Every structure is written in structure tokens, then in C-alpha cells.
Amino acid sequence: MNHLPNAASLRNNCPRSGGDQNLFFLDFVSPTKFDNSYFKNLLANKGLLNSDQVLVTKSEVAKQLVQQYAVNNELFLEQFAKSMIKMGNLSPITGSRGEI
């Protein structure tokens, strides 16, 4: 799929109850490639989820990151790799000490 679905098609595929196994691509430009198209979509107001689209509307700092990643795929990939390493080094609190 190379087009952003319209609201009617999303409603048809996402029933009011159930349907938790229904999947949609968050990036309809290059859904099978890991790249910065997601950020380009956000700048074009084509974010699938409202929680994603607010990255360009609620915070100037977040919007600047989206803009940087949209124009520089290498920067996005580099910073994504660093973030994954940081997340892999986290020790979440589990059991009686915390909740996941």
C-alpha cells in the first residue's frame, strides 16, 4: 500500500469493539523499509495516529527533531541505534518493586 487510508477505510477495518489484531502501516510511503519517511509524513500532516502527529504541533523541540530526521535519514538511523542501545541497558522495575 502506497497511499494513506482515508477515515472511512480505517473505520471499516477498525470496529468499535474487538479487532485488536487489525494492523495498519504507520508509514504508507515505504511500509517495508526502515527509513525516515514516517517523519516526512508527519511534516505533510499525514501521520496515521494523533499521538504521532502531535510531535509537530505540541512542542517546538519535538518538531525540530522531526524536521531534522525528515531531511537526514542517516541522522535518524544513527540516533535510533543509540536510543535502542540505551533502552537495552535499562533495568525495569518488576514484581513487587514495580509494574510493567
Side-chain angles (χ1 to χ4, degrees):
M1 243 183 241
N2 285 331
H3 66 284
L4 188 66
N6 61 31
S9 70
L10 289 174
R11 274 192 292 277
N12 287 337
N13 290 310
C14 293
R16 288 189 181 267
S17 65
D20 291 339
Q21 300 303 312
N22 295 355
L23 302 175
F24 290 93
F25 292 117
L26 296 179
D27 167 16
F28 286 86
V29 175
S30 57
T32 59
K33 183 179 176 189
F34 189 66
D35 62 10
N36 63 343
S37 292
Y38 166 83
F39 298 102
K40 293 176 184 180
N41 290 343
L42 292 180
L43 291 177
N45 292 317
K46 293 183 178 179
L48 182 61
L49 304 175
N50 181 61
S51 58
D52 294 331
Q53 196 60 52
V54 296
L55 289 171
V56 295
T57 61
K58 296 293 182 187
S59 163
E60 190 60 36
V61 172
K63 182 179 180 179
Q64 288 174 3
L65 278 175
V66 169
Q67 291 170 330
Q68 289 175 17
Y69 294 157
V71 297
N72 190 336
N73 191 53
E74 290 75 27
L75 176 66
F76 161 64
L77 293 173
E78 176 185 304
Q79 291 192 353
F80 180 85
K82 288 180 181 178
S83 296
M84 290 301 291
I85 291 168
K86 283 183 179 181
M87 287 178 58
N89 290 328
L90 292 177
S91 297
I93 301 172
T94 60
S96 61
R97 295 178 36 225
E99 184 177 320
I100 301 289

